Amino acid sequence: MRRAVKQEIGGLIPELKDRIYDVQPPAGGNDEPYGVIAFSEEIWKSSWAGYRQVIRLKLYAGASGLDQTDTWAEELIAGLHRKRVKNPDGTVFTLYYLGSREAERLEVSTGKVYRTLRFGVYIPETGTDGSVTWDEWLSALSAWTGSLLGSPWKVYETAWPSGPEDYAILWRMTGGETRMAGASLYEVRKRLTGHIVALDATSEQRAVVSLMEGLGTKVQLPLDPDQHRYMSVVEVSADLEADAFLDGQLRLTLVQRRMRPAEDAALIRRVDIHSILN
């Protein structure tokens, strides 16, 4: 991962090509400009996002001045935020810009001024790659979502992979319950959250609105049309300001009515009729 990130930085900023170091430049090679990259420990975020590793990049422009670091920062943010990067072994990860908590600072030990940028990489738990289907409701909802939005959207279930596609949707289950609907019927309700991630906010919002409206007008979603099995949409809401990757913008409740087994259903053992006529 470290090597791949350095190559991406060098590709965007030719002046920094082969001048991104892990600690400090080697002796005799510390003439600016250069960068210093550091990887923090992995911090657990959630079961669907996995661990997040923060990458800190210090930019030293030297005689070029602070205006140069500002220009580099703008180019790196635009070029690396939500950038899918391939490791030498073929695995893929996505970079996310996390902001810069520090403005330009003076490094006391060297007397040099630097600018820090922070990027994050989400690393899923072992065995979760966003493609494992364990619930038929999730599978049916994912299929319907893919047919509604079409290309270039890719739909995942339960957890994000390490490098989701540029236009990606994740559906995950967040809760559920059963309710009695009569002597011989009961309801199964499942609550789901939808994450919509794209290369730009406009594409994200359009997809969120399309899904919200599509689900709102859809009375039933097919589970198994041949067996006449469906699930109904009872509630859908959207929050366009939510964090797309970590929190998700859509909240959805689905319900299905089922027959109780005959041996569990209440039986009418006796009927008494009392006449009110004299």
Side-chain angles (χ1 to χ4, degrees):
M1 181 186 298
R2 188 181 296 267
R3 177 183 172 186
V5 173
K6 289 181 179 180
Q7 289 178 343
E8 291 294 330
I9 296 172
L12 290 169
I13 312 295
E15 297 94 326
L16 298 179
K17 182 176 176 60
D18 299 325
R19 297 183 65 82
I20 303 295
Y21 304 101
D22 296 331
V23 184
Q24 288 291 340
N30 60 349
D31 292 336
E32 297 168 300
Y34 64 87
V36 174
I37 193 170
F39 285 66
S40 69
E41 63 179 341
E42 298 172 4
I43 303 298
W44 172 255
K45 299 303 292 184
S46 67
S47 59
W48 59 92
Y51 297 84
R52 184 173 73 183
Q53 185 172 58
V54 177
I55 304 171
R56 289 179 173 83
L57 174 63
K58 294 181 179 180
L59 300 173
Y60 298 78
S64 299
L66 298 180
D67 289 343
Q68 182 63 77
T69 59
D70 290 340
T71 300
W72 287 348
E74 293 175 0
E75 294 177 0
L76 289 170
I77 293 169
L80 295 182
H81 182 47
R82 298 182 180 177
K83 171 71 173 180
R84 298 181 78 239
V85 182
K86 182 177 290 187
N87 284 311
D89 63 1
T91 58
V92 179
F93 62 93
T94 301
L95 289 166
Y96 297 89
Y97 176 60
L98 302 179
S100 179
R101 294 179 179 175
E102 304 170 345
E104 286 75 12
R105 297 193 64 179
L106 176 66
E107 192 171 65
V108 177
S109 60
T110 62
K112 297 178 179 179
V113 177
Y114 65 89
R115 169 81 177 271
T116 301
L117 300 180
R118 297 168 64 250
F119 294 89
V121 175
Y122 292 92
I123 304 171
E125 286 188 287
T126 302
T128 58
D129 62 358
S131 62
V132 177
T133 299
W134 63 273
D135 182 87
E136 64 174 349
W137 293 36
L138 273 176
S139 180
L141 178 60
S142 297
W144 177 86
T145 300
S147 64
L148 177 71
L149 295 183
S151 180
W153 293 94
K154 169 70 174 179
V155 184
Y156 302 97
E157 299 171 22
T158 305
W160 289 113
S162 59
E165 295 291 335
D166 292 336
Y167 295 84
I169 298 168
L170 169 68
W171 283 110
R172 59 184 178 86
M173 192 177 301
T174 57
E177 61 185 352
T178 59
R179 295 181 180 180
M180 297 302 105
S184 59
L185 288 174
Y186 69 99
E187 288 182 350
V188 177
R189 290 174 175 254
K190 295 184 180 182
R191 294 183 294 275
L192 303 103
T193 295
H195 303 245
I196 295 85
V197 174
L199 291 177
D200 59 274
T202 300
S203 296
E204 286 183 358
Q205 293 180 4
R206 286 176 178 171
V208 171
V209 172
S210 294
L211 287 171
M212 181 185 66
E213 292 179 346
L215 290 166
T217 57
K218 197 73 174 177
V219 178
Q220 291 183 322
L221 297 176
L223 274 174
D224 187 346
D226 294 336
Q227 298 294 324
H228 303 289
R229 298 175 59 238
Y230 300 87
M231 50 189 177
S232 301
V233 179
V234 296
E235 186 178 49
V236 58
S237 62
D239 181 359
L240 297 179
E241 296 182 356
D243 185 297
F245 192 90
L246 289 178
D247 301 322
Q249 306 99 313
L250 284 175
R251 300 291 183 270
L252 172 65
T253 300
L254 299 174
V255 64
Q256 182 188 49
R257 284 198 167 192
R258 298 178 181 176
M259 295 290 296
R260 297 175 65 184
E263 60 271 17
D264 294 337
L267 299 177
I268 300 176
R269 296 180 179 275
R270 186 178 65 186
V271 176
D272 293 327
I273 301 177
H274 299 281
S275 176
I276 61 173
L277 299 177
N278 292 327

